[in-house]
Amino acid sequence: MDPRNIQIHDCEFSTYIFEEEIIARITMLAEQIDKDYGNKQPLFLAVLNGSFMFASDLLKRVSIPCEISFIRLSSYQDMHSTGKVKEILGLTEDIHSRHVVVLEDIVDTGHTVHGLLKQLKERSPASVEVATLLMKPDCLQHQLDIKYVAKSIPNDFVVGYGLDYNGLGRNLRDIYKIVS
Ligand code: 5GP
Ligand code: MG
Ligand code: MG
């Protein structure tokens, strides 16, 4: 596919991961989740806003019985992680003794997922795993075992497929990286 450059706010981005590759990788994750969870009836918790497209494309390919719900955390400012522990908003399900799978858009420093897992584990689920669309292993600052990763990427700021740059870019069907 032809590379494309776009402008979002003050920055230029170029195509990086095309929809076709994203879907192929997500399809493999869904197959793995089907195998791993069988009849455990997992509860998927998609972290809004960034994971909405990933959650949709992943969960329509998961064929085991499951529940799906959405949570929200305090927002991420500009391009740098604030490092603050974020509160879980909108978790109405009782996750005690449930098999929980958190759906995230991207794991960067890992602060967000680390804080989220800590809060979820206090509610005594049977298990908690994380499925993330993207991961930046070079940026990780916590010992985190992320079981499902669609793709690992270098330390570049990306937008599209749910990920935004100051509010814009979530609707893009491909993932773009910043041109530096
Ligand atoms: P962490 O707490 O792991 O450092 O960062 C997690 C959050 O930072 C993600 O959920 C996402 O909102 C934001 N983030 C980290 N890296 C990127 C990136 O390259 N692009 C965008 N759009 N958001 C990012
Ligand atoms: Mg996120
Ligand atoms: Mg954001």
Side-chain angles (χ1 to χ4, degrees):
M1 263 165 278
D2 294 339
R4 264 174 286 121
N5 280 30
I6 56 168
Q7 180 85 20
I8 303 178
H9 295 300
D10 52 337
C11 291
E12 192 181 1
F13 291 83
S14 63
T15 42
Y16 180 41
I17 312 167
F18 285 98
E19 183 181 29
E20 195 179 30
E21 178 182 349
I22 299 168
I23 298 299
R25 288 175 177 273
I26 287 176
T27 302
M28 290 193 288
L29 282 193
E31 285 167 5
Q32 203 186 330
I33 287 170
D34 274 354
K35 277 197 202 112
D36 292 349
Y37 285 88
N39 59 7
K40 288 183 176 169
Q41 219 165 292
L43 168 64
F44 292 96
L45 292 180
V47 183
L48 294 173
N49 294 327
S51 76
F52 82 98
M53 227 181 252
F54 171 52
S56 172
D57 280 332
L58 177 74
L59 294 172
K60 68 192 178 196
R61 290 171 175 84
V62 163
S63 55
I64 55 171
C66 63
E67 284 180 50
I68 301 166
S69 192
F70 299 87
I71 58 172
R72 195 179 255 286
L73 304 170
S74 46
S75 61
Y76 180 87
Q77 298 297 319
D78 292 312
M79 294 190 194
H80 302 285
S81 178
T82 59
K84 289 183 198 139
V85 173
K86 297 163 180 176
E87 294 247 344
I88 302 174
L89 306 172
L91 178 57
T92 53
E93 284 76 13
D94 180 6
I95 65 165
H96 185 270
S97 301
R98 297 294 311 271
H99 293 281
V100 175
V101 184
V102 173
L103 304 183
E104 261 288 15
D105 50 359
I106 186 163
V107 178
D108 183 349
T109 62
H111 290 321
T112 306
V113 165
H114 177 78
L116 176 56
L117 289 177
K118 192 164 171 277
Q119 293 177 66
L120 291 174
K121 282 173 185 169
E122 284 164 5
R123 300 175 191 228
S124 310
S127 67
V128 197
E129 299 293 352
V130 177
T132 188
L133 172 69
L134 298 173
M135 174 142 180
K136 297 179 180 172
D138 297 343
C139 302
L140 204 58
Q141 293 179 25
H142 294 270
Q143 270 258 276
L144 282 180
D145 184 17
I146 310 286
K147 190 162 186 186
Y148 306 101
V149 179
K151 190 175 171 83
S152 289
I153 61 168
N155 184 16
D156 295 310
F157 188 80
V158 293
V159 296
Y161 198 77
L163 292 138
D164 74 308
Y165 171 39
N166 285 353
L168 296 180
R170 292 195 200 279
N171 58 312
L172 298 167
R173 58 175 58 231
D174 305 302
I175 293 170
Y176 293 70
K177 82 172 171 186
I178 198 156
V179 178
S180 44

